[in-house]
Amino acid sequence: MLVIGLGRFGSATADQLVKQGREVLAIERDPVLVQKWAGTLTHVVDADATDIDALRQLGAQEFNSAVVGVGTSIESSVLITVNLVDLGVEHLWVKAITPAHGKILSRIGANHVIYPEADAGRRAAHLVSGRLLDYIEFDDDFAIVKMRPPRETQGFTIREASVRKKYGVTIVGVKSPGEDFTYATGDTKVSSRDLLIVSGHVDLIERFAARP
């Protein structure tokens, strides 16, 4: 995997990829960041990714996927993305600062535009409600959450609680204290100490999570 830019987003992505056992080539032109991450990441190179010849010399065209974490300069972000498209990199995950920036990135070939700050803000807003413990939102306002069970589900099986019929959401997993998460069935009984994995439309999940 090719990662360009070792700011907070790029370095966190590269570090996690390495922890997952992936080979990572990181490109960064700030020598301080290069030195900081040289001992942690697989390969860290001090180079200017806005220069397509520099990318070609590093073998960027051999990569199927790349992450562009450059966020301080929209111009640099766009130039790097154009270079990677021209080099034939198929899958591009590119950090965007604003919706306008993201629109430009999409039009020039970035097939995955990421808004880390906005996404983190939305996630935090959902989590501060109190019952939600984790929150992942997908396209079309669909989400999967980890949450504490509302009182009306406690002591009942999922079939008896009729959550899907009442609220339009699906309990897909249940975790009891000291045990792993298991897939939920209609016969799964929910206790007050359990944690639930729930999927559904964002508005419906919020309505279900608001139950006492």
Side-chain angles (χ1 to χ4, degrees), residues 83-105:
N83 287 343
L84 294 172
V85 170
D86 288 347
L87 289 172
V89 180
E90 188 175 352
H91 299 288
L92 297 176
W93 283 263
V94 187
K95 174 184 175 179
I97 304 170
T98 66
H101 181 200
K103 182 180 287 188
I104 293 170
L105 293 171

Side-chain angles (χ1 to χ4, degrees), residues 83-162:
N83 287 343
L84 294 172
V85 170
D86 288 347
L87 289 172
V89 180
E90 188 175 352
H91 299 288
L92 297 176
W93 283 263
V94 187
K95 174 184 175 179
I97 304 170
T98 66
H101 181 200
K103 182 180 287 188
I104 293 170
L105 293 171
S106 294
R107 287 186 176 178
I108 62 177
N111 39 20
H112 306 279
V113 177
I114 304 167
Y115 300 88
E117 288 82 4
D119 291 345
R122 282 196 297 271
R123 181 172 180 272
H126 288 286
L127 294 180
V128 296
S129 66
R131 192 184 298 276
L132 297 185
L133 303 174
D134 206 352
Y135 178 93
I136 303 173
E137 185 173 337
F138 301 91
D139 293 336
D140 303 321
D141 293 326
F142 184 87
I144 295 178
V145 305
K146 179 169 70 174
M147 61 178 287
R148 299 183 181 90
R151 192 177 303 135
E152 64 194 84
T153 65
Q154 298 171 17
F156 297 95
T157 66
I158 290 175
R159 184 180 294 108
E160 291 168 340
S162 300

Side-chain angles (χ1 to χ4, degrees), residues 57 59 67 73 81 88 92 114-115 118 137 157 166 191 212:
Q57 289 174 10
V67 175
S73 168
T81 303
L92 297 176
I114 304 167
Y115 300 88
E137 185 173 337
T157 66
K166 292 178 182 176
S191 78

Side-chain angles (χ1 to χ4, degrees), residues 152-209:
E152 64 194 84
T153 65
Q154 298 171 17
F156 297 95
T157 66
I158 290 175
R159 184 180 294 108
E160 291 168 340
S162 300
V163 169
R164 185 172 179 81
K165 182 178 180 180
K166 292 178 182 176
Y167 300 102
V169 300
T170 302
I171 298 175
V172 295
V174 177
K175 184 183 188 306
S176 299
E179 299 182 14
D180 295 331
F181 272 104
T182 59
Y183 287 108
T185 69
D187 295 324
T188 301
K189 193 169 186 178
V190 178
S191 78
S192 61
R193 300 174 62 201
D194 287 342
L195 296 177
L196 308 180
I197 298 294
V198 181
S199 67
H201 190 278
V202 171
D203 292 341
L204 297 178
I205 286 178
E206 290 287 359
R207 186 163 71 96
F208 179 56

Side-chain angles (χ1 to χ4, degrees), residues 10-106:
S11 61
T13 302
D15 187 41
Q16 187 59 43
L17 287 167
V18 169
K19 289 177 180 176
Q20 292 174 2
R22 303 285 297 276
E23 289 279 330
V24 173
L25 169 62
I27 300 175
E28 170 60 57
R29 61 181 179 182
D30 182 341
V32 175
L33 291 176
V34 170
Q35 184 176 7
K36 176 181 177 180
W37 289 100
T40 303
L41 304 180
T42 318
H43 306 287
V44 183
V45 178
D46 184 349
D48 182 2
T50 63
D51 182 350
I52 193 169
D53 290 329
L55 286 176
R56 190 177 286 113
Q57 289 174 10
L58 291 170
Q61 66 276 9
E62 303 298 327
F63 288 85
N64 184 53
S65 304
V67 175
V68 180
V70 176
T72 54
S73 168
I74 292 178
E75 180 181 359
S76 294
S77 168
V78 170
L79 282 172
I80 293 167
T81 303
V82 168
N83 287 343
L84 294 172
V85 170
D86 288 347
L87 289 172
V89 180
E90 188 175 352
H91 299 288
L92 297 176
W93 283 263
V94 187
K95 174 184 175 179
I97 304 170
T98 66
H101 181 200
K103 182 180 287 188
I104 293 170
L105 293 171
S106 294

